[in-house]
Every structure is written in structure tokens, then in C-alpha cells.
């Protein structure tokens, strides 16, 4: 059970350090539509795209036993992004924890055409399989905190990915910074990987 509706973050604010309030942003949010996120982005010129791919129905229909190209096509259809669209900020939240290694690799290949050198990302994981990942809806509360609202109902299977795993699997992104949270969760700031597989040193 979550002890607080907010979660202190050391990294979420860095997504916006080089972002002008006059620059029109395209933001991809991989979770449920969050009122706090909508309110936060009211200060920017932006387009917010919420894609609830953490939905158990979407994840349970994922053809995990199929070939790589079939998996890529499945996630490409789920993303449903026009070919010319480039995403400025990707809020993955805990989405990666619901994908096994093959599915995560395929998802990143489906997303790759929409990432460029200016794209940034943010995600959450856990330090190890011994740490519990709360089942909740995340949002941006402020530049220093996240909102977290507990979810009920069926939860899809979880997969633990270490920072080393993410460095191998995220392809067009690299882990730029990572911070350990008090409860064993880890937050990651992601940047475009201009030299594939040459990510920052693993600290966990």
C-alpha cells in the first residue's frame, strides 16, 4: 500500500531543463491519463498523447511466442503514431516492467523512428526482484515529485530489468542518469543513444 499520494523525484524536472515554455512539445505518456500530468503541462505549448499500453488486455494479447517482426508490428500498431512524428518527451513510467526482454526489444524497435537526438525519456524500475513495485497510476505532480494513485483489479506479470538490462535493451535510448528511491524503486532519465550500447556506467 502506498504511504503517500506523491513520490519525491530527483530526475523528473531534468526532462524540462532545456525546454522553453514557447517550444511546442509532443509528449507520449504510456500510462493512464493523469489529471496531475494534464495540469502540469498547462504551462507548456504541447500535445499530450496518452497510450494505456499497460492495460492488461493489451499486454495479455501480446504475441510473446511469435517472431521478432510480429512483436514489432504488434507494438507499432499499439503506438499508432504517424511516420513523420517525433516525440520530445516519453513518459514510460513502469511500462518496461510489464515486458519481457524480447517484448521490450521489439517495443523499442517500433518506437525508434519517432526518437531523435532531442528526445528524452523517463521510466521507473526496481533495484532487484526483492523490491516490490507498487501497482499505481503515475503522473507529474511538480518538477520535484510524481503523483501515484493505487490501482485495483488484475495486474499483468512483472519482469525485473536491471540498469544493465536496460542499457542492452533500450537501443535508441540510453540511461543518462539514475537515482535510487528510498523504497527500492529506481528512476531513470533517458536520452537518445547516439553510440548504441555505449551507455553510462552501471551504478546499481
Amino acid at each position: 500500500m502506498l504511504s503517500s499520494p506523491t513520490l519525491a523525484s530527483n530526475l523528473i524536472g531534468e526532462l524540462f531543463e532545456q525546454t522553453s515554455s514557447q517550444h511546442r512539445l509532443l509528449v507520449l505518456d504510456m500510462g493512464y491519463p493523469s489529471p496531475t500530468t494534464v495540469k502540469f503541462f498547462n504551462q507548456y505549448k504541447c500535445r499530450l498523447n496518452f497510450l494505456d499500453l499497460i492495460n492488461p488486455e493489451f499486454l495479455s494479447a501480446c504475441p510473446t511466442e511469435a517472431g521478432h517482426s510480429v512483436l514489432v508490428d504488434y507494438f507499432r500498431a499499439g503506438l499508432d503514431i504517424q511516420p513523420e512524428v517525433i516525440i520530445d518527451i516519453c513518459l514510460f513510467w513502469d511500462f518496461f516492467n510489464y515486458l519481457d526482454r524480447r517484448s521490450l526489444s521489439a517495443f523499442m524497435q517500433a518506437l525508434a523512428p519517432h526518437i531523435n537526438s532531442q528526445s528524452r525519456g523517463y521510466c521507473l524500475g526496481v533495484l532487484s526482484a526483492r523490491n516490490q513495485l507498487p501497482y499505481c497510476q503515475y503522473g507529474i505532480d511538480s518538477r520535484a515529485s510524481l503523483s501515484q494513485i493505487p490501482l485495483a483489479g488484475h495486474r499483468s506479470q512483472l519482469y525485473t530489468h536491471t540498469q544493465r538490462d536496460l542499457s542492452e535493451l533500450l537501443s535508441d535510448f540510453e540511461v543518462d542518469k539514475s537515482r535510487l528511491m528510498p523504497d527500492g524503486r529506481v528512476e531513470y532519465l533517458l536520452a537518445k543513444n547516439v553510440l548504441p550500447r555505449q551507455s553510462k556506467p552501471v551504478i546499481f
Side-chain angles (χ1 to χ4, degrees):
M1 183 175 181
L2 299 177
S3 59
S4 172
T6 60
L7 177 66
S9 169
N10 290 309
L11 297 181
I12 193 68
E14 294 195 29
L15 283 173
F16 311 98
E17 282 190 348
Q18 300 178 347
T19 300
S20 166
S21 60
Q22 301 305 309
H23 173 66
R24 183 173 177 81
L25 295 172
L26 179 59
V27 181
L28 177 66
D29 188 313
M30 298 297 298
Y32 297 83
S34 166
T36 59
T37 300
V38 173
K39 181 179 179 181
F40 177 85
F41 279 106
N42 280 341
Q43 64 188 292
Y44 295 99
K45 293 180 179 180
C46 71
R47 176 182 172 187
L48 270 171
N49 284 1
F50 291 99
L51 288 178
D52 179 20
L53 299 192
I54 301 177
N55 187 310
E57 292 184 7
F58 178 83
L59 292 172
S60 64
C62 183
T64 54
E65 302 302 319
H68 180 74
S69 61
V70 174
L71 276 171
V72 173
D73 288 342
Y74 183 77
F75 287 113
R76 186 177 291 125
L79 287 166
D80 191 26
I81 302 174
Q82 294 299 312
E84 71 281 1
V85 170
I86 299 297
I87 301 164
D88 296 296
I89 294 175
C90 298
L91 298 171
F92 296 111
W93 304 124
D94 56 352
F95 177 60
F96 297 156
N97 299 278
Y98 293 93
L99 303 179
D100 62 20
R101 292 179 63 91
R102 291 181 66 250
S103 298
L104 179 49
S105 178
F107 170 77
M108 292 309 301
Q109 184 172 331
L111 184 66
H114 310 290
I115 302 300
N116 69 10
S117 60
Q118 304 303 310
S119 301
R120 305 282 276 172
Y122 180 87
C123 68
L124 293 163
V126 289
L127 183 59
S128 73
R130 295 187 300 273
N131 299 107
Q132 185 177 10
L133 183 70
Y135 187 34
C136 58
Q137 167 192 309
Y138 292 100
I140 302 180
D141 183 64
S142 72
R143 288 195 176 211
S145 62
L146 310 177
S147 63
Q148 49 178 7
I149 301 173
L151 294 172
H154 173 72
R155 185 182 195 177
S156 300
Q157 181 176 347
L158 292 174
Y159 301 89
T160 301
H161 302 296
T162 65
Q163 183 174 334
R164 189 180 302 276
D165 294 333
L166 294 178
S167 296
E168 295 175 357
L169 297 170
L170 294 189
S171 59
D172 277 65
F173 272 123
E174 67 173 355
V175 176
D176 185 38
K177 294 182 180 180
S178 58
R179 295 290 184 272
L180 181 63
M181 295 173 156
D183 64 355
R185 276 179 281 186
V186 183
E187 57 178 341
Y188 298 99
L189 186 68
L190 308 176
K192 169 69 175 178
N193 192 352
V194 295
L195 296 174
R197 301 186 182 280
Q198 298 298 314
S199 298
K200 307 294 181 183
V202 174
I203 61 175
F204 301 125

